[in-house]
Structures are given as C-alpha cells and as structure tokens.
C-alpha cells in the first residue's frame, strides 16, 4: 500500500496546508496521540483528522480483505493488523471519553471560556456527548433529591463538587529533539527556562500545564 | 444525632466492593430529605426569632443546623452520584442490556438515566465515521495473539519464518 493520506497540517510559517502521510505514518501519529492521551492527566486537544483518516484506512483494509483470494496467508496477517489498529483507536477514544465523563463540568467550562484561536479539546461529537452527559446528571440529581430539599439548597455547583484533573501529577517526557530555552510556567512572573536534551527523561515538577510553550532560538 | 442517615448512605457505598450495585436505598434517602425539611423549618423559625426577638443566642444553633443541612446534601449527592458511576460502568461491562438482577437494584430514575447514557454513547459511537461508526465498547483488550496458529505446509511457511513473520509453534 503506497497510497498517501491527506491530513491538515501546518508548515513552518504557521499557514495551513495538507500534510500527506503514508498509512504507516498515520498509524504512528495515532499511536503517539494514544500514548499522550493515556499519560496526560487531563484531556488533550482532539485529533479528529487522525480519527477520520484511521477510520478510512480501516474501511480500506477491510475492503481489500474482502477482495483477497481465500486461503491466502496474507489475510490473517492483515486481519491481525486491522484488529491491532482498531484496538489502538478504540483505546484512544475510550481514554478521552473517560476523561470527559470524569471531569465533565471542567471540560465544558473550558470549552465555554476558550478563545476563538485556541483549538478545541473536544471534537464536535464529544462536545455533544459531554453536554448530554452533564444535562442527564443535573436532571437526575434535581429530580431525585435537590428539588425535595429546602429552597436555598437546591443549587449544587458541579464545578466545585466534581474534582479537577490533577495537573501536578508527575508525567515523564521523552524529548524527541533538542530544544533550548523552553519557557516553563509562562503564567507566573517567575519565568524559568530549561533546556531539553534529546532522549532525556524528565519528571515534571510543578508545571501547571503539562504542555510547554516553545520559545525557539 | 443529625446526619446519621446520610452517613449511613455513604457507608453503604463503602461496604459494596468495587462497583457492586446494592439495592437503591429509597427509605434512607427519604429519611434524609425529611430530616433536612425539619432542620430547615426549625432554622426558619429561629432566624425569625433571632431577628425580631433579638435572640442572638440562637445563632450558634442556627449555624449548626445549617452545617447539618450542608452535610446531608453532600452525603446524599455523593451517594446518588457514586451509584450513577457504578451504573455507567455496567454499560461498559455488560453491554446495553443489563441482567435483570442488576436492574432490580436500580430505581426507576436510575434506569432512565442509564437509558439516556447508553443512547448518548450510541450516538457518539455512530458518529465516528464509516457505515456504523465504531463500537469502542469492544476491543477492550489488545489483540491476544501476536502469532496466529496455522496449519500450513512447511514449504509455504519457511520463507515467512525466515523473515520473522511467522514462528514455528510446536505441538
């Protein structure tokens, strides 16, 4: 399979252009997104293009299998590959859904207060799911208990009751290429700069946001 | 003592091991709500007394009842929410049709919530593209076999074994 898949991407000027990936590169990106999502304590940016392309890829592979000659050994191997990719994709999406459910008031609040230029952490479908989830919980609590309580106690602030993701939890980073002068904790006045060396593993100390802002030289 | 029934609800959750769903404690919930009503009414009358009758000595009692009310609410919401989380887990464990024995432990409103949840989930999964979307409640474990067992004539396997694609499994 030497076909290539178009994926929206950014060139070095920050302009948008289609990035063309081989299937192998696409799966690598999926696995990267999956790893990152598994290890990050909070919900990361959504990657709808990757999900869409992988789904297309899977359809394509299934189609190829249907047309293949029966008894061909390659069938089992391709089937194995399909199952592997489907597992990674399902696991990735499950991981996201679980975070969305676990932190639902915060996830929705973040989406509500985000700036236009900031990318959304939720795909449109995840956003719809999150809103329905929140609504169903609020309605349930209201009907079963809150509306039977004294009038001044009927409102519960879910943002305060439901725990936030623990951004102080430790995360190990693997540095892919050397970077100088990374700005850590940009929101505080104390701007610590660190250098990251290729291949180095670093525990994350008290960085509020697990994702660093690059400030390249 | 105030909040006893509410704390009992929370204890019930602690007693049920990992995710087990006990029968919905309708009586317990009702008793907590009744206690809240009583506390609130006592407070209302005391607040009036304190304001008009100048009975500022009633204020500590008013505050105490208010704390009890808050605690009752917190325990109640915790109980209900935790049960919803357990019920949600049932969808992922058992699929969209729950065994009867579990459904009997759920209140009517909990069953309704479960139905909303599974409908939302189904909508989301269908939206993932392709003909029917992707059922992410399947494929919960990585594919088991890295190696597929095949009965094949040796001459077909040899090159693949050499390439490291297949491994010869001895029976």
């Amino acid at each position: 399979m030497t076909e290539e898949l178009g994926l929206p991407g950014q060139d070095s000027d920050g302009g948008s252009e289609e990035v063309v990936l081989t299937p192998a590169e696409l799966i690598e990106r999926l696995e990267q997104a999956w790893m990152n999502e598994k290890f990050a304590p909070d919900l990361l940016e959504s990657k709808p293009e990757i999900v869409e392309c992988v789904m297309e890829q899977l359809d394509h592979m299934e189609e190829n299998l249907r047309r293949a000659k029966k008894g061909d050994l390659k069938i089992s191997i391709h089937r194995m590959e399909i199952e592997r990719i489907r597992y990674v994709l399902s696991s990735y999406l499950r991981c996201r859904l679980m975070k969305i459910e676990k932190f639902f008031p915060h996830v929705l609040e973040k989406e509500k207060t985000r700036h236009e230029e900031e990318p959304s952490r939720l795909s449109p479908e995840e956003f719809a799911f999150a809103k329905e989830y929140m609504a169903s919980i609020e309605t349930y609590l209201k009907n079963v208990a809150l509306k039977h309580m004294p009038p001044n106690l009927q409102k519960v602030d879910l943002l305060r009751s439901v725990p936030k993701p623990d951004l102080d939890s430790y995360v190990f980073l693997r540095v892919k290429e050397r970077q100088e002068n990374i700005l850590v904790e940009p929101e505080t006045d104390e701007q610590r700069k660190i250098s990251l060396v290729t291949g180095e593993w670093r525990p994350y100390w008290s960085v509020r946001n697990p994702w660093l802002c690059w400030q390249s030289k | 003592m105030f909040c006893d029934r509410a704390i009992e609800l929370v204890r019930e959750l602690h007693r049920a091991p990992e995710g087990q769903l006990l029968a919905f404690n309708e009586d317990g919930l009702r008793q907590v709500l009744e206690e809240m009503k009583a506390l609130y009414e006592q407070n209302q009358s005391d607040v009036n007394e304190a304001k008009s009758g100048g009975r500022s000595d009633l204020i500590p009692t008013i505050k105490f009842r208010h704390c009890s009310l808050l605690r009752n609410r917190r325990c109640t919401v915790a109980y209900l929410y935790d049960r919803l989380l357990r019920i949600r887990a049932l969808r992922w464990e058992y699929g969209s049709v729950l065994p009867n024995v579990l459904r009997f432990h759920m209140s009517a409103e909990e069953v309704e919530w479960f139905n909303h949840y599974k409908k939302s989930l189904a909508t989301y999964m269908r939206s993932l593209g392709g003909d029917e979307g992707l059922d992410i409640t399947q494929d919960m474990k990585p594919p088991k076999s890295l190696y597929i067992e095949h009965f094949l004539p040796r001459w077909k396997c040899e090159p693949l074994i050499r390439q490291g694609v297949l491994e010869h499994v001895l029976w």
Side-chain angles (χ1 to χ4, degrees):
Chain A
M1 278 190 287
T2 52
E3 70 213 83
E4 293 168 331
L5 300 137
L7 214 65
Q10 286 199 316
D11 57 29
S12 52
D13 306 321
S16 268
E17 60 163 32
E18 275 232 332
V19 169
V20 169
L21 296 178
T22 62
E25 285 168 342
L26 170 68
I27 301 309
E28 205 184 303
R29 290 240 187 152
L30 170 67
E31 290 178 353
Q32 185 79 96
W34 175 55
M35 283 278 129
N36 284 341
E37 197 72 65
K38 267 181 165 298
F39 292 123
D42 65 343
L43 189 70
L44 301 178
E45 237 175 80
S46 76
K47 306 269 183 201
E49 341 75 53
I50 295 184
V51 173
E52 198 180 315
C53 288
V54 171
M55 287 294 292
E56 262 171 42
Q57 184 64 22
L58 283 172
D59 274 344
H60 205 88
M61 289 170 86
E62 291 273 11
E63 186 57 45
N64 282 344
L65 274 191
R66 268 195 290 272
R67 287 195 264 112
K69 209 165 60 173
K70 271 199 150 37
D72 192 345
L73 183 61
K74 287 201 291 264
I75 290 180
S76 319
I77 297 176
H78 279 293
R79 178 135 295 288
M80 202 162 66
E81 185 63 9
I82 289 176
E83 278 171 26
R84 191 179 74 84
I85 295 172
R86 207 188 358 248
Y87 167 73
V88 173
L89 180 62
S90 296
S91 182
Y92 168 67
L93 294 171
R94 270 197 299 269
C95 182
R96 288 182 61 84
L97 222 60
M98 276 163 211
K99 287 188 204 177
I100 290 170
E101 290 174 356
K102 191 169 179 187
F103 306 121
F104 69 95
H106 307 286
V107 165
L108 286 168
E109 183 67 16
K110 213 174 195 136
E111 180 64 18
K112 204 166 78 175
T113 58
R114 123 186 113 88
H115 297 296
E116 284 231 14
E117 321 85 52
E118 231 179 290
S120 177
R121 302 234 184 160
L122 297 165
S123 74
E125 296 79 20
E126 285 171 340
F127 185 40
F129 176 84
K131 282 191 292 190
E132 283 168 23
Y133 189 73
M134 174 136 167
S136 76
I137 290 186
E138 280 181 327
T139 304
Y140 172 80
L141 290 176
K142 186 176 96 173
N143 289 336
V144 174
L146 296 175
K147 78 177 183 197
H148 304 293
M149 291 186 180
N152 63 330
L153 289 167
Q154 291 186 2
K155 286 239 138 51
V156 168
D157 184 2
L158 288 173
L159 275 172
R160 280 184 43 188
S161 324
V162 176
K164 276 183 154 170
D166 181 10
L167 296 182
D168 284 336
S169 64
Y170 292 109
V171 173
F172 279 91
L173 315 173
R174 189 162 68 85
V175 180
K176 290 161 93 171
E177 53 181 53
R178 189 188 181 91
Q179 294 279 347
E180 305 283 350
N181 288 330
I182 310 301
L183 210 58
V184 171
E185 284 193 82
E187 296 103 59
T188 65
D189 287 331
E190 174 208 325
Q191 295 186 340
R192 284 191 289 140
K193 291 191 177 162
I194 59 175
S195 294
L196 297 172
V197 174
T198 314
E200 191 183 317
W201 292 86
R202 268 184 160 251
Y204 234 83
W205 302 116
S206 57
V207 180
R208 289 271 135 226
N209 186 331
W211 308 115
L212 304 173
C213 294
W214 305 125
Q215 205 154 73
S216 49
K217 284 181 88 162
Chain B
M1 195 61 254
F2 297 144
C3 306
D4 267 355
R5 302 304 283 119
I7 293 173
E8 188 50 42
L9 287 179
V10 175
R11 276 214 198 92
E12 215 180 87
L13 293 174
H14 274 281
R15 274 200 298 269
E18 277 296 327
Q20 188 196 2
L21 195 71
L22 299 181
F24 185 78
N25 193 342
E26 211 166 308
D27 280 342
L29 176 64
R30 194 177 31 84
Q31 284 164 15
V32 175
L33 292 173
E34 279 168 8
E35 184 181 273
M36 287 181 79
K37 183 160 179 281
L39 284 169
Y40 179 70
E41 283 166 358
Q42 286 159 18
N43 255 10
Q44 284 225 287
S45 99
D46 276 7
V47 160
N48 284 334
E49 279 268 349
K51 282 207 287 218
S52 56
R55 295 279 313 276
S56 54
D57 61 305
L58 291 173
I59 291 181
T61 315
I62 292 170
K63 286 192 175 167
F64 177 68
R65 286 202 200 96
H66 186 68
C67 285
S68 303
L69 280 165
L70 288 175
R71 172 156 268 236
N72 272 335
R73 182 176 71 169
R74 184 170 174 173
C75 291
T76 305
V77 174
Y79 174 74
L80 296 172
Y81 183 66
D82 192 88
R83 282 181 64 92
L84 287 188
L85 294 182
R86 292 177 195 224
I87 290 168
R88 171 240 177 245
L90 295 177
R91 167 64 186 87
W92 290 84
E93 175 86 34
Y94 291 99
S96 52
V97 179
L98 292 185
N100 281 331
V101 80
L102 287 173
R103 268 195 307 156
F104 292 151
H105 284 181
M106 290 162 59
S107 70
E109 291 83 1
E110 284 178 331
V111 172
E112 205 183 318
W113 184 86
F114 177 77
N115 289 334
H116 281 152
Y117 178 72
K118 71 177 186 183
K119 195 154 148 252
S120 259
L121 183 62
T123 304
Y124 168 73
M125 295 196 294
R126 240 190 333 264
S127 76
L128 291 170
D131 292 323
E132 304 134 15
L134 182 70
D135 185 353
I136 60 176
T137 67
Q138 304 297 318
D139 306 300
M140 295 290 273
K141 289 204 162 86
K144 192 167 55 163
S145 43
L146 282 180
Y147 305 102
I148 293 195
E149 281 156 25
H150 262 286
F151 294 116
L152 282 174
R154 175 175 288 268
W155 63 267
K156 268 197 179 173
C157 307
E158 288 279 30
L160 290 166
I161 291 175
R162 254 181 276 121
Q163 285 170 42
V165 173
L166 288 181
E167 190 182 85
H168 187 196
V169 178
L170 285 160
W171 285 68

